[in-house]
Amino acid sequence: MTDYMPWHDDEPLAEESLPLETSSPDWPPPGSPDIVIARAVTPRPITEVAARLGIAPSDLLPYGHTKAKLPHAFTDDLAERPRGKLVLVTSITPTPAGEGKTTATVGLGDGLNRLGHRAAICLREPSLGPCFGMKGGAAGGGRSQVIPMEDINLHFTGDFHAITSAHNLLAALIDNHLHWGNELNLDPERITWKRAMDMNDRALRHLTVGQGGQSVPRSDGFDITAASEIMAILCLAHDLDDLQRRLGEIVVARTRDGAPVLARDLKADGAMAALLRQALAPNLVQTLEHNPAFVHGGPFANIAHGCNSVMATRSALALADVVVTEAGFGADLGAEKFFNIKCRQAGLAPNAVVVVATLRALKMHGGVDKEALDQPDPQAVRRGTANLARHVENIRSFGVPLVVAVNQYDQDSDEEHAVLREACEAMGVEMTVSSHWRDGSAGSEALAERVAALLDAPTTAPTLTYADETSLVDKVRSIATRLYGAADISLEDRARRQLEEYEALGYGHLPVCIAKTQYSFAADPELRGLVEGHVLPIREAELAAGAGFVVILCGAIMRMPGMPRHPASDGMRLDEAGEIEGLS
Amino acid sequence: MTDYMPWHDDEPLAEESLPLETSSPDWPPPGSPDIVIARAVTPRPITEVAARLGIAPSDLLPYGHTKAKLPHAFTDDLAERPRGKLVLVTSITPTPAGEGKTTATVGLGDGLNRLGHRAAICLREPSLGPCFGMKGGAAGGGRSQVIPMEDINLHFTGDFHAITSAHNLLAALIDNHLHWGNELNLDPERITWKRAMDMNDRALRHLTVGQGGQSVPRSDGFDITAASEIMAILCLAHDLDDLQRRLGEIVVARTRDGAPVLARDLKADGAMAALLRQALAPNLVQTLEHNPAFVHGGPFANIAHGCNSVMATRSALALADVVVTEAGFGADLGAEKFFNIKCRQAGLAPNAVVVVATLRALKMHGGVDKEALDQPDPQAVRRGTANLARHVENIRSFGVPLVVAVNQYDQDSDEEHAVLREACEAMGVEMTVSSHWRDGSAGSEALAERVAALLDAPTTAPTLTYADETSLVDKVRSIATRLYGAADISLEDRARRQLEEYEALGYGHLPVCIAKTQYSFAADPELRGLVEGHVLPIREAELAAGAGFVVILCGAIMRMPGMPRHPASDGMRLDEAGEIEGLS
């Protein structure tokens, strides 16, 4: 049996907390596929991992031997406990070269544990869609992964499926209401609630449902589950009660008189809450170095708010001394929403921010083609730092100290590092090269030391970009001009009418959640590097009253991805031993 | 720690195996809602339940503390072990009055355990669709339930969701193939693979996908997940290897030249198998009396083959002395398919059959309206026994001994029981009244004794209704004329052409899976009681090459249910303690 530690015990960690070499003497060579590296490690029972956070086996809901949920009875009690320090990992504007934000989050967490801090990480759950489409899995990479990676990438503890079910139950209840006489007088042309599926399936983007004479025909479409308002609700709800309340607040349609129709009006909120009851409980797994990792909630940061769940973050803060979490895509999207939506709603106060960059991505921002990234090009790095500088400035606007972490690649040259270091010095920010991808926590020790040094300062509330009472239009404008470097915003008539309606209905106090391309400060994904003085075009808005924000759609952003000509699923297979091949 | 018994130990069961009164002194009164009764029982840890089957904790994959899967490494070994006795529970033609087949299965299993037999039951998993629609949950009723009923009814271990995902991945890959140039020359008009959702949603029955100019528009529709061929595959696969092979055999479309296109041609089989890997592992839970219950696979018996999984049945047979399982709806549908599809494919040989009836249902078959069922009406019971007699005769045709079990209701009169007993004597079959719904195993002891007495006879292979080499048309005809009492079948041209095509393609050896209304021996749900000399109309056929059968659609049978005006979901809610209310 495992002895578990009392909470916030200040005794030094047991020897087994520094497990790398002892637990896995036969590491495959660096550059091996992620799944090969992941399988070289024998996972510890999840009860042992939980014990390091002071969680007793009876306070865990196991899902197999290496995954667990923290039941509501346990997390409800955590709300009373004091808080650890919170570190946010974000990045420069992403490029096709890849930045490694999840990998950096895992590496930093392992590095902090290696230094003797009781650290936990908080990640988002991967979506099945990209896993079979282009991107592959999303459980970190190299020696900085969370395991069991096959389970985490496929179904995991069923949270996405619960969200899909709740989403589609509400949709079915809407059409069922139309079928049985439409007592609430819904306008079939103004039903805003679509359907959801956790799949990349472009054929479902636009469709006509209710054909064949048995139902009311109308235009509809599927969004990917990660883009569902219910995903956002799950990620922002404080507890079961708050979950059920938020579900009831969802606006699904307008009546023929223009009045909003809520999920509560359709009596859908209770059944949806029942479907989501278990999904709201945070998931606990481990890193390759057996450190605790909460993986819970998975909204995309380009089309949603892109942060893991408040439930998981708060639970981790009650159980660990340091919590490292990520926000999706670049700091303009993920970190902005982390502060202005998640911290605002959950009262979180981050103590430090890590901005992840790679020389390769900086070179792309400096104008280099993807094919030429292996060549040293210090001038391109220098040009690319303009992108980094804007993100650094933006993070500073929130009043939180930061460091720049450079994910090391084998091809990186000393000269390029020197150029970047010089640029960081000019910005007045420290830069650390980190090789956790190749070396695990041995490679992230320096980064962990740098971050730990920032955590001694007292915790202060972040400076948010706008106040609740600012108008919706001005909220968007303040983000665009202060953080994106835009000269102004332009609103299509439709968007303007929508924002006016939301304010008239009493939703003007909500924060905004900007849906735009992750590849640029502008709405055009081709504009890399630093973009300035542009006008951000607002096409449309959407009320997410349950999640508690207004989505602002900029340019052509899609909420149902498609698959490439040769999807990742082509290469997957069960081998003769019944193990999964081809998942990366 | 639990001591677990070595397998097939013949020592008497420990005292704790007879737990009723001791474990639950505070039973709510008979007639209390199922969930109230279920919550009166404190579930045993699933490790204890498993120990009674000789399963070590390390051979279980826990899902919470009261559910588990048997991992493949464990079930693969079971294939070598000797077999217990198998009992099938089926029923007369169902009526809106309800028969209680699942309840009888649970009650009989508990009764056998009470008598000292090491018995396990094998049920199907409930579908979410009916749970929110009309029917409510499907985990038994009264004191004959499986628990945890909330979990079993909602998501359970995620098997349905895995099937939905695998089904829709294949659909997405088909449309993606069209999008990227249609190299395999699929005829978009002859794509037979639809999409799936575990929801009652009539608006999704018929739709047009691929609209909006980003994809290839075509007619499509959603079936409920329980009707998916992948559900049938999961229920019939012997192991992971067989699963992946069957998935590859699925025929999804025809080329413009009329050649079949398989899932394997689209490279979908491996990724689907990866998605279904865990779902194929049988689920173990417990009855209210803490006896082991396998709940795995959930096809509907009117539109699919309606039996729980071969994996679960075989595992149970290797671990228990007696295994009680159910087949869906009446014996004409569920039991017929149990023998001609499941036993044929899996080499199972049932030792006894229980035909469940209620006086109320017999009265409906005897012409009484639902509203008048509370009144005693011995003559109506007598008329209704004609329906029972046909089912008894049908079961006899398979060469397996049987008993009739009458689920007792409070309103039942002695005179009605006497009429039924007399009719059973005339048929030469024993009849037992059983009150497990009200009394648990104390009420099913007599039934269990009767069944146990049949199990001493040596196991013999059942007599199937037709041979593999019989033509597809003659297979259908033999079921219709020998089991349904029809004079003949009639085939619409379309169905005839389809069956000819399947035989030409080499699928003529497959068994047939008849999709028809569960409410009648005919294709018309209004024709209760005994129907004879009718002509069974065959509208259409469908090849399920992965499942290994040909579906025969009779009359108007739908594979996507709708919800009623006031769906069951209306009454569901989380209460202040966060517990689910309104699930029944």
Side-chain angles (χ1 to χ4, degrees), chain A residues 57-65 67 128 132 151 154-156 158 161-166 168-173 175-176 179-181 183 195-216 219-220 222 240-241 243-244 264 266-278 558 562-567 569-580, chain B residues 57-65 67 128 132 151 154-156 158 161-166 168-173 175-176 179-181 183 195-216 219-220 222 240-241 243-244 264 266-278 558 562-567 569-580:
Chain A
S58 58
D59 283 330
L60 284 180
L61 269 181
Y63 280 68
H65 300 289
K67 311 183 291 290
L128 271 182
F132 291 119
D151 294 17
L154 303 175
H155 310 308
F156 196 26
H161 294 314
I163 292 166
T164 306
S165 292
N168 291 325
L169 173 62
L170 179 52
L173 289 170
D175 279 302
N176 196 52
H179 176 83
W180 289 105
E183 200 179 329
R195 288 175 162 86
M197 191 182 283
D198 189 19
M199 191 64 65
N200 284 12
D201 192 345
R202 72 171 70 70
L204 296 182
R205 277 177 197 156
H206 301 285
L207 40 78
T208 303
V209 299
Q211 295 179 323
Q214 297 151 348
S215 193
V216 180
S219 289
D220 196 8
F222 279 72
L240 284 170
D241 195 50
L243 174 77
Q244 186 161 257
R264 188 176 292 138
L266 290 159
K267 302 196 179 103
D269 48 334
M272 290 162 79
L275 277 170
L276 293 166
R277 191 181 179 284
Q278 292 278 18
M558 208 120 49
M563 286 200 271
R565 183 183 287 268
H566 300 291
S569 59
D570 282 6
M572 294 181 198
R573 185 136 210 96
L574 297 183
D575 65 16
E576 280 173 24
E579 297 298 326
I580 297 169
Chain B
S58 58
D59 283 330
L60 284 180
L61 268 181
Y63 280 67
H65 300 289
K67 312 182 292 289
L128 271 183
F132 291 119
D151 294 18
L154 303 176
H155 309 307
F156 197 26
H161 293 315
I163 291 166
T164 306
S165 292
N168 291 326
L169 174 62
L170 179 52
L173 289 170
D175 279 302
N176 196 52
H179 176 83
W180 288 105
E183 200 179 329
R195 287 175 163 87
M197 191 182 282
D198 189 19
M199 190 64 65
N200 284 12
D201 192 345
R202 71 171 71 71
L204 295 182
R205 277 177 196 156
H206 302 284
L207 40 78
T208 304
V209 298
Q211 295 178 325
Q214 296 151 347
S215 193
V216 179
S219 289
D220 196 8
F222 279 73
L240 284 171
D241 195 50
L243 174 77
Q244 185 160 259
R264 187 176 294 138
L266 289 159
K267 301 198 180 95
D269 49 332
M272 291 163 78
L275 276 171
L276 294 165
R277 190 181 179 284
Q278 292 280 18
M558 209 122 44
M563 286 200 271
R565 184 183 286 270
H566 299 292
S569 59
D570 281 6
M572 293 181 199
R573 183 136 212 95
L574 297 182
D575 66 16
E576 281 174 21
E579 297 298 325
I580 297 169

Side-chain angles (χ1 to χ4, degrees), chain A residues 257-329:
Chain A
D257 309 320
V261 180
L262 308 191
R264 188 176 292 138
D265 300 327
L266 290 159
K267 302 196 179 103
D269 48 334
M272 290 162 79
L275 277 170
L276 293 166
R277 191 181 179 284
Q278 292 278 18
L280 186 65
N283 304 303
L284 182 67
V285 292
Q286 64 193 289
T287 67
L288 290 180
E289 302 190 13
H290 314 300
N291 294 311
F294 292 87
V295 179
H296 193 223
F300 294 161
N302 48 357
I303 50 186
H305 75 289
C307 304
N308 83 303
S309 76
V310 166
M311 289 280 293
T313 307
R314 285 185 160 189
S315 299
L317 284 169
L319 295 162
D321 297 331
V322 186
V323 175
V324 185
T325 190
E326 58 168 358
F329 292 123

Side-chain angles (χ1 to χ4, degrees), chain A residues 338-422:
Chain A
F338 177 83
F339 283 105
N340 286 315
I341 297 176
K342 184 174 175 179
C343 290
R344 183 188 302 263
Q345 289 199 13
L348 298 172
N351 301 82
V353 173
V354 177
V355 180
V356 175
T358 62
L359 292 177
R360 297 164 65 84
L362 289 170
K363 281 189 271 191
M364 283 201 86
H365 284 301
V368 175
D369 284 344
K370 195 176 177 189
E371 293 65 34
L373 292 175
D374 285 349
Q375 305 306 317
D377 189 340
Q379 290 316 308
V381 171
R382 189 183 307 275
R383 289 192 301 274
T385 57
N387 182 278
L388 171 63
R390 161 73 55 69
H391 288 294
V392 166
E393 191 186 321
N394 287 348
I395 297 297
R396 284 210 175 106
S397 77
F398 297 107
V400 183
L402 78 158
V403 296
V404 170
V406 179
N407 272 341
Q408 185 163 32
Y409 278 71
D410 288 345
Q411 305 93 328
D412 291 358
S413 72
D414 291 344
E415 196 184 349
E416 291 171 309
H417 279 149
V419 164
L420 176 54
R421 191 173 305 278
E422 193 180 299

Side-chain angles (χ1 to χ4, degrees), chain B residues 309-572:
Chain B
S309 77
V310 166
M311 287 282 292
T313 308
R314 284 186 161 187
S315 298
L317 284 168
L319 295 162
D321 296 333
V322 187
V323 174
V324 185
T325 190
E326 58 169 357
F329 291 122
D332 54 325
L333 284 171
E336 184 272 307
K337 294 167 185 173
F338 177 83
F339 283 106
N340 286 315
I341 296 177
K342 183 173 173 177
C343 291
R344 184 189 300 264
Q345 287 200 15
L348 299 172
N351 301 83
V353 173
V354 176
V355 181
V356 176
T358 63
L359 292 177
R360 296 164 66 83
L362 289 169
K363 281 189 272 192
M364 282 201 87
H365 284 301
V368 175
D369 283 346
K370 195 177 176 189
E371 293 67 34
L373 291 176
D374 284 350
Q375 305 306 317
D377 190 340
Q379 291 316 309
V381 171
R382 189 182 309 275
R383 289 192 301 275
T385 57
N387 181 279
L388 171 63
R390 160 73 56 69
H391 288 296
V392 165
E393 191 186 319
N394 287 349
I395 296 298
R396 283 208 175 106
S397 78
F398 296 108
V400 183
L402 78 158
V403 296
V404 170
V406 179
N407 272 343
Q408 187 164 30
Y409 278 71
D410 288 345
Q411 304 94 328
D412 291 359
S413 72
D414 290 345
E415 196 184 348
E416 290 171 312
H417 278 150
V419 165
L420 177 53
R421 192 173 305 279
E422 193 181 298
C424 285
E425 272 166 25
M427 299 173 211
V429 60
E430 301 221 62
M431 167 198 132
T432 306
V433 179
S434 192
S435 66
H436 45 266
W437 179 83
R438 195 182 57 204
D439 304 318
S441 66
S444 61
E445 224 177 317
L447 174 63
E449 277 169 8
R450 199 63 62 94
V451 169
L454 298 180
L455 301 181
D456 293 332
T459 303
T460 55
T463 308
L464 303 182
T465 309
Y466 51 80
D468 290 354
E469 50 272 23
T470 306
S471 74
L472 292 170
V473 172
D474 284 342
K475 284 170 183 165
V476 182
R477 187 175 283 119
S478 67
I479 292 170
T481 56
R482 287 189 221 162
L483 303 181
Y484 298 171
D488 201 357
I489 60 175
S490 71
L491 286 110
E492 291 190 24
D493 283 351
R494 180 174 185 177
R496 186 176 302 278
R497 280 197 311 274
Q498 288 169 319
L499 295 179
E500 283 168 5
E501 188 208 9
Y502 302 158
E503 296 200 332
L505 291 172
Y507 295 110
H509 64 287
L510 295 180
V512 294
C513 179
I514 298 192
K516 78 160 177 63
T517 176
Q518 64 267 33
Y519 293 119
S520 175
F521 281 113
D524 176 353
E526 301 300 320
L527 299 177
R528 298 218 172 94
L530 182 66
V531 191
E532 283 186 303
H534 53 291
V535 174
L536 188 76
I538 313 299
R539 180 164 58 86
E540 204 177 334
E542 269 185 20
L543 178 60
F549 55 66
V550 173
V551 181
I552 305 292
L553 292 138
C554 303
I557 187 88
M558 209 122 44
R559 277 181 295 186
M560 173 52 91
M563 286 200 271
R565 184 183 286 270
H566 299 292
S569 59
D570 281 6
M572 293 181 199

Side-chain angles (χ1 to χ4, degrees), chain A residues 102-121:
Chain A
T102 302
T103 305
T105 306
V106 176
L108 174 56
D110 283 342
L112 286 162
N113 275 292
R114 187 186 186 89
L115 296 180
H117 299 278
R118 190 169 309 158
I121 60 170

